[in-house]
Amino acid sequence: LSALLLAACGEDTKKEEGKATVVENSTGASSEQTLQNTPETSTKLDTLNTTVSLKDAVSVFQSTHPEAQIHSVELDSKFGNLQYDITGSDYSYEYEMRIDANSKEILEDRSEAEREIESFLDFTTSIDPADAIQNASTNSQVTGMSPTSWKLEAEHGTQNYSIKYEKNLSEIEVYINASTGELTGLELDD
């Protein structure tokens, strides 16, 4: 497999060598990243009980991209096991990293030279994901349902959690203000 990464002065290419992937850009510089492709399944896993905390996942992202500020963090199970999907950017690149929520293994790390100006997360003012899920679960619309994923995102200067619940073919998304813990919205999708 090969993937393309855009760089400011040309394309980066990835050459897979076992689990380690060497990223080489048009200037000849290279770095090693770990990639693992996992098949997509519809397995629902417990989003409240992960081995790797939000803080640990953010630390993995920041140690790989120390100049980047984070836009969003999502915990989901759409690839058969719980994974964090973290997006962020610095002055030159936008980054997206997938981290296994049980092992801290970096499953994917992508970057693009072009980025949009976005709001950034301030983790010092955000409530814990478990608290957001607890607040969302008090809504009568999700009684008897378990959350299947959550996302913490900064948009227009506000930090919000969106927590997804699924039952049969119905999906409900509950929105919680990440600073106050208050319910800010509900979306039903049948």
Side-chain angles (χ1 to χ4, degrees):
L1 286 176
S2 64
L4 294 179
L5 292 174
L6 300 176
C9 299
E11 295 181 349
D12 290 349
T13 58
K14 288 187 175 184
K15 300 173 188 171
E16 198 168 272
E17 297 173 0
K19 275 197 159 193
T21 301
V22 176
V23 178
E24 193 174 294
N25 66 26
S26 59
T27 62
S30 65
S31 63
E32 191 173 296
Q33 300 173 344
T34 305
L35 261 182
Q36 177 181 327
N37 294 323
T38 53
E40 186 169 334
T41 66
S42 61
T43 305
K44 292 184 177 64
L45 301 169
D46 188 355
T47 58
L48 287 173
N49 296 309
T50 60
T51 306
V52 179
S53 69
L54 170 62
K55 183 178 179 179
D56 292 338
V58 167
S59 179
V60 169
F61 180 89
Q62 289 175 331
S63 67
T64 306
H65 305 293
E67 300 296 319
Q69 293 189 2
I70 296 175
H71 306 290
S72 68
V73 179
E74 181 174 9
L75 177 69
D76 65 44
S77 61
K78 62 184 165 192
F79 290 99
N81 61 333
L82 286 172
Q83 298 176 7
Y84 287 98
D85 184 5
I86 302 177
T87 60
S89 62
D90 56 24
Y91 290 106
S92 303
Y93 294 94
E94 182 169 81
Y95 304 100
E96 183 175 354
M97 181 181 282
R98 285 185 105 25
I99 301 167
D100 187 288
N102 292 309
S103 68
K104 279 195 208 178
E105 179 181 3
I106 297 172
L107 304 173
E108 183 176 28
D109 189 16
R110 295 184 298 170
S111 63
E112 285 186 330
E114 295 184 24
R115 66 175 194 86
E116 295 178 20
I117 303 299
E118 299 182 40
S119 298
F120 301 106
L121 291 173
D122 178 0
F123 293 100
T124 63
T125 63
S126 297
I127 64 172
D128 189 71
D131 294 333
I133 290 169
Q134 181 179 357
N135 293 354
S137 296
T138 63
N139 187 288
S140 62
Q141 296 285 335
V142 298
T143 301
M145 301 173 82
S146 296
T148 57
S149 68
W150 59 259
K151 183 174 187 175
L152 173 59
E153 186 170 33
E155 250 183 5
H156 310 294
T158 305
Q159 300 181 143
N160 288 296
Y161 279 98
S162 59
I163 296 112
K164 286 187 185 176
Y165 295 81
E166 293 178 14
K167 187 174 187 178
N168 301 326
L169 298 175
S170 296
E171 182 178 286
I172 299 174
E173 197 160 356
V174 179
Y175 300 95
I176 301 289
N177 182 298
S179 298
T180 66
E182 294 175 8
L183 182 110
T184 59
L186 181 76
E187 187 176 311
L188 302 171
D189 187 21
D190 294 320

